[in-house]
Amino acid sequence: MSNLETEPEELVCPPSGARGIEILEPRDVPLGGPRAMGVRRTLPQKARCLIGAWCFVDHYGPERTAMDVPPHPHTGLQTVSWLFSGEIEHRDGVGSHAMIVPGGLNLMTAGRGIAHSEVSVPGTPAPLLHGAQLWVALPDSHRHTDPFFESYTPSPVTVGDATLRVFLGSLAGSTSTARVFTELLGAQVDLPAGASVDLDVDERFEFGVLLDAGELSVDGVSVPVSHLAYVPPGSSRLTLTAGAADARLLLIGGVPLGEQIVMWWNFIGRSHEEIAEYREDWAAGRRFAPVTGYDGDALPAPVLPPIRLKPRG
C-alpha cells in the first residue's frame, strides 16, 4: 500500500527507549483522496517512530469500498499485508502476481527498490475490506538487497483460550518461514470475551498491540479499538485480557532497531540525498522495474519539501 498523502512529512526515527506502556492514538488518513477509503495510522508519529523495526501501521475497514492503489515505489523496507476480510490483487516489478486473502501473509521486500500496485477484487456490492498494512524498516546492512516477494499462510495454534496466527517470527512454538532481516514478531491473536492469556515472549523485544475489534487490556492497561499499545523491552511475559466482547488484535514486536531512518512518502533512507535520489529515479523511470498488468498510470511522486531533510529529534 502507498502513503498517498500529498504533503508527506519527513520523519527521522531515533532508537526507542522510553519505559512504561504507551497508548498511541490513530490519525485518519484518506487513502487515495476524500472519496476513497480512509485508514487509521498509528505508526509512525511524533511520540514514537519505531517498534523494533516496524515503522508503519495502517488499519482500515471494515468498509464496502474499492481499493485501487496504482503502481508506486518503495525502498529500504518490507511491506506486510494482512487481511481480516476481502481480497486484494498484488502485482509488482519483479513479476509477482498474487491474491491477498484473509489469514495469509503477503510480504514484499523492497530492498534497493521495487514498485507495486494493489487493487481490490471487484464485486456488487463492493467488497467488505478490512485489514492492516504494515512496513518493516530494513537494517542498514540489508537495505540495498535485491527486491523479492513471498507469501505464507500460518496454521492457527492455541494458547489457553487464545488462537494465534504467527505470520512473522516465532511465538508459542509456531514459526513463520517468511524471511526477515532483524529479529521480529508478527501475529494475529483472537481472544474470547472474558478470557486472559499469558504469552511467553522475548524480554529483549519491544511490542505493539493493535486492537482491531472488541475490548482488551495489555498488562492491565486498557487499549481502545484502533489504538496501538506500546510495551517496552524488559519482560518475558505479556498478559492479554479480553473484556465483555471478543478481542481481535495484531501483536507486533522486535529487538529495537538501534538505527535512525528517514521516512518520506514511500521511501526509507538515511539522508536527504538518498531520498532525493529515489524520488528522481522514480520520476525518470530508473531503478524501479515497471509493474505489468495494471490498467492505468503510476503514481507521481509528491514534491519534496522546500527545506533540506535533516535528522531531528
Side-chain angles (χ1 to χ4, degrees):
M1 186 180 294
S2 174
N3 177 7
L4 296 181
E5 293 177 287
T6 57
E7 296 182 0
E9 294 181 357
E10 170 212 10
L11 287 172
V12 179
C13 301
S16 306
R19 301 297 299 175
I21 293 178
E22 305 167 11
I23 302 299
L24 305 180
E25 296 184 3
R27 65 185 179 96
D28 294 330
V29 178
L31 185 64
R35 298 182 63 185
M37 181 175 63
V39 301
R40 301 171 292 279
R41 184 165 298 162
T42 47
L43 204 68
Q45 51 182 271
K46 291 182 180 179
R48 184 162 301 281
C49 292
L50 291 163
I51 298 177
W54 297 93
C55 61
F56 185 91
V57 177
D58 269 2
H59 179 216
Y60 56 90
E63 184 176 342
R64 291 199 179 278
T65 188
M67 176 187 290
D68 187 351
V69 182
H72 57 278
H74 289 291
T75 60
L77 58 85
Q78 294 177 291
T79 63
V80 175
S81 300
W82 187 259
L83 284 177
F84 304 119
S85 66
E87 191 173 5
I88 297 172
E89 183 180 39
H90 165 98
R91 296 178 184 270
D92 64 40
V94 298
S96 309
H97 181 205
M99 302 308 298
I100 307 172
V101 297
L105 167 73
N106 275 26
L107 179 68
M108 186 183 74
T109 299
R112 57 181 169 76
I114 195 171
H116 75 133
S117 64
E118 289 181 314
V119 179
S120 59
V121 175
T124 303
L128 185 67
L129 280 181
H130 187 189
Q133 177 76 25
L134 310 96
W135 296 353
V136 175
L138 292 172
D140 189 60
S141 56
H142 292 284
R143 64 192 182 94
H144 299 299
T145 190
D146 290 341
F148 63 94
F149 175 86
E150 58 189 311
S151 298
Y152 173 73
T153 301
S155 297
V157 297
T158 57
V159 179
D161 292 326
T163 301
L164 281 61
R165 292 171 174 82
V166 181
F167 52 82
L168 283 181
S170 298
L171 182 67
S174 178
T175 299
S176 169
T177 61
R179 186 180 180 189
V180 292
F181 296 85
T182 56
E183 294 183 81
L184 288 177
L185 172 65
Q188 177 181 322
V189 181
D190 294 88
L191 195 60
S196 185
V197 63
D198 292 325
L199 298 176
D200 294 326
V201 296
D202 193 323
E203 64 183 8
R204 299 171 303 147
F205 279 29
E206 53 188 353
F207 294 96
V209 180
L210 175 69
L211 180 59
D212 170 65
E215 299 178 3
L216 181 73
S217 66
V218 177
D219 289 347
V221 177
S222 179
V223 184
V225 170
S226 297
H227 287 57
L228 184 69
Y230 167 77
V231 183
S235 177
S236 60
R237 179 163 293 184
L238 188 65
T239 300
L240 306 174
T241 304
D246 296 350
R248 179 167 62 191
L249 59 106
L250 291 182
L251 173 62
I252 61 174
V255 173
L257 183 62
E259 300 177 12
Q260 286 193 333
I261 63 173
V262 180
M263 293 179 62
W264 182 82
W265 194 40
N266 296 310
F267 303 130
I268 291 183
R270 297 299 189 273
S271 68
H272 173 95
E273 287 78 13
E274 281 190 343
I275 297 296
E277 179 183 351
Y278 298 152
R279 184 194 179 281
E280 198 61 33
D281 284 349
W282 176 246
R286 297 188 299 262
R287 183 186 298 265
F288 306 95
V291 177
T292 59
Y294 179 84
D295 185 17
D297 296 329
L299 279 178
V303 177
L304 277 167
I307 58 173
R308 179 179 174 80
L309 304 180
K310 297 180 180 179
R312 297 195 299 256

